[in-house]
Amino acid sequence: KFSLEDITKCFFPCAGNTYWFVTTYIILMLFKPTINVYFRKLSNKQLICIFFLLILIYACLRITAGSLLGLYQGIVYYLAGVILYRFHHKIKKSPYAYALLGIIGWLGYAFFEISHLGGQLSGVMSTTIMGTVSALGIAAFFLYGKECDNYMINKIGASTFAVYLIHENPFLRETLWSKILHVETFQMYSSFFPLLACLSVTGVFVVCIMIDLIKKNSLNKLFYKLSGH
């Protein structure tokens, strides 16, 4: 059953923080000019200190389940991107080393999620620390990797946002992740969580890509015909 609130969030997702990533992204883009002016005035040492301060605040919000958690996570990752950009001449290494760092971070995240080592602090270690390490490693891999142009990658990339909108839809999210894939159960109790996570995410990604491609090749063409284009 869906309430009026659920239906309203579908039409006004950012206002209801339904799509947390998009909501955070829009807020950051609105304040980006002001944020960048402030960051440019900081020295490298000040920038790193603020980054670790934000990590500490993010960890506290993770423990207290603060309502600004998603926004803080976006700010932390945005500042991490600023640091990667500013230090790219000094820390530029093999992109595969950063890919390895991303994989290690993700495996560390899975370890703390499964083991619950440290009780409530396991959530801090998994998402706040290891999740950030994984995100930085993956981002640096693409940032410092060799530029290339691939038709298939561009085709899939064009549908990635549609994948997000489909599987994060409030009408589908709970049913998909909790009732069909049972993600919480595997995350908490199964030692095969890393493998199951890869399989479930890949499966959802492929199915959503197919839905978007079918939409583009059918509904979009019909729309263009009806509009006279």
Side-chain angles (χ1 to χ4, degrees), residues 19 21-22 154-170 172-173 176-177 201 204-217 220:
Y19 294 104
F21 178 83
V22 176
N154 291 339
K155 190 77 172 178
I156 295 174
S159 295
T160 301
F161 186 58
V163 173
Y164 174 76
L165 292 179
I166 293 171
H167 78 74
E168 280 287 285
N169 185 280
L172 183 61
R173 179 176 180 175
L176 176 64
W177 297 110
V201 169
V204 169
F205 195 89
V206 170
V207 171
C208 291
I209 286 283
M210 293 174 61
I211 293 173
D212 187 57
L213 291 178
I214 292 172
K215 188 268 296 184
K216 287 180 179 178
N217 292 317
N220 282 12

